[in-house]
Amino acid sequence: MADRGAGSPAITVETELDESTVAAYWKLYRETFAELETRAMARHLLHEHEFVEEMTDPRVMKYVARNADGEVVGLSTLTRDLETVPWISPGWWAHHYPEHTARNAVYYLGFTLVRQDQRQTSVMWAMISTIVEMLVAEKAVCGYDYCKFNNEVLRLGPGTEALLHRIADVEVEATDTQTYYTALFSGPPRSS
């Protein structure tokens, strides 16, 4: 197991969360990702009913981080049932990773969040290293995504890659890009 340091949160892997934990995480989820409503063209935030469904769907593993007082301080979601992730194509994964698909070793990381006052602590490290430990044991492939703002401004893609290299022998590759365009119309074509 990766060294998570002193004072690290307790990480549990849960398939279904109780109502009060879901409510606490919904609040934290909104606080963490609210700015993406104006930063990313595609919708990156689940609606509350979608969030509740994911938190109670046993096919989605919830890596729950709690501090010493039992308060929720972080959460990561991970699934091997790609049908639970409506914005990805399970067929793409089966085509590109047939051996992993045959072994049921294809995963998708939905999101990771950490309470604001815990962001400079070991919470993120503890959750991700717990996930990576399992992925390494299974010699799995795991997908995840970032919008342009998170990738280019916050540099989460390179930061995640650096973190993964600290934890495991891993190859990370940007495998697909979705580019959104806008066309701002101001009138009929200009005549020559």
Side-chain angles (χ1 to χ4, degrees):
M1 182 171 283
D3 178 20
R4 297 184 186 112
S8 291
I11 306 297
T12 58
V13 182
E14 303 179 27
T15 56
E16 295 183 56
L17 301 179
D18 63 61
E19 193 174 314
S20 64
T21 303
V22 170
Y25 274 126
W26 171 247
K27 181 179 184 301
L28 181 56
Y29 177 82
R30 291 292 308 164
E31 290 169 0
T32 302
F33 297 118
E35 74 177 325
L36 291 180
E37 287 182 318
T38 59
R39 302 268 188 198
M41 184 183 284
R43 182 171 70 93
H44 282 266
L45 275 78
L46 299 172
H47 296 298
E48 186 172 11
H49 73 277
E50 295 169 321
F51 182 84
V52 170
E53 286 173 20
E54 189 165 325
M55 295 300 101
T56 57
D57 187 335
R59 300 171 298 168
V60 178
M61 294 170 277
K62 277 65 84 176
Y63 286 75
V64 175
R66 290 185 175 88
N67 65 16
D69 296 327
E71 299 170 317
V72 296
V73 293
L75 174 68
S76 290
T77 61
L78 183 73
T79 187
R80 66 172 19 141
D81 187 335
L82 301 184
E83 297 294 333
T84 67
V85 186
W87 59 89
I88 66 166
S89 169
W92 184 92
W93 290 93
H95 175 77
H96 291 278
Y97 297 96
E99 186 269 330
H100 291 84
T101 300
R103 293 190 292 109
N104 200 24
V106 177
Y107 290 85
Y108 205 83
L109 180 71
F111 63 84
T112 295
L113 58 86
V114 176
R115 199 170 77 185
Q116 182 71 31
D117 67 335
Q118 297 292 306
R119 293 203 178 139
Q120 300 303 315
T121 69
S122 61
V123 174
M124 175 74 87
W125 174 266
M127 288 186 303
I128 297 302
S129 62
T130 301
I131 291 168
V132 168
E133 184 177 300
M134 182 273 300
L135 296 172
V136 167
E138 291 194 19
K139 295 192 182 324
V141 61
C142 181
Y144 54 93
D145 62 86
Y146 291 120
C147 68
K148 180 179 180 181
F149 176 77
N150 281 345
N151 205 35
E152 294 180 9
V153 176
L154 298 182
R155 309 277 304 145
L156 293 180
T160 300
E161 182 174 354
L163 175 62
L164 293 176
H165 283 296
R166 286 179 54 200
I167 300 170
D169 181 10
V170 61
E171 293 178 32
V172 177
E173 176 186 8
T175 51
D176 197 5
T177 302
Q178 182 79 20
T179 302
Y180 293 88
Y181 294 90
T182 58
L184 181 60
F185 296 91
S186 56
R190 296 181 188 144
S191 54
S192 320

